[in-house]
Amino acid sequence: MNISTVKSYEDLPLTLNAAQIACALGISKSCAYTLLHRDDFPTVRIGRRMLVSKTKFETWLESQNSESLFVLK
């Protein structure tokens, strides 16, 4: 699924990878990987893949204030 064709939240896949997170947030793929490695980001590891469920992603995003979202540690 190409996330650029997604029109609504309901159309997102059940899990998002780094490229899809980057597209959804309008950030680079390397910044998305930084998020996936953060302790406070709800990453699920399946083998070598790092994913986040869309519901956990939405919850995490809503819990961020605008200042902390752009401070990628």
Side-chain angles (χ1 to χ4, degrees), residues 19-69:
Q20 293 165 327
I21 293 166
C23 187
L25 294 177
I27 60 175
S28 70
K29 194 172 173 182
S30 65
C31 284
Y33 276 112
T34 300
L35 277 175
L36 286 164
H37 284 96
R38 284 178 45 166
D39 290 336
D40 68 331
F41 195 76
T43 304
V44 174
R45 294 179 191 269
I46 301 174
R48 296 183 67 194
R49 296 187 71 198
M50 293 183 296
L51 305 167
V52 62
S53 76
K54 81 175 179 181
T55 55
K56 296 274 186 183
F57 177 69
E58 180 184 32
T59 301
W60 175 85
L61 188 58
E62 289 174 353
S63 74
Q64 303 302 298
N65 63 39
S66 60
E67 183 177 326
S68 68
L69 183 60

Side-chain angles (χ1 to χ4, degrees), residues 1-8 11-12 23:
M1 168 179 278
N2 184 351
I3 198 163
S4 63
T5 62
V6 172
K7 302 265 189 264
S8 70
D11 294 337
L12 287 174
C23 187

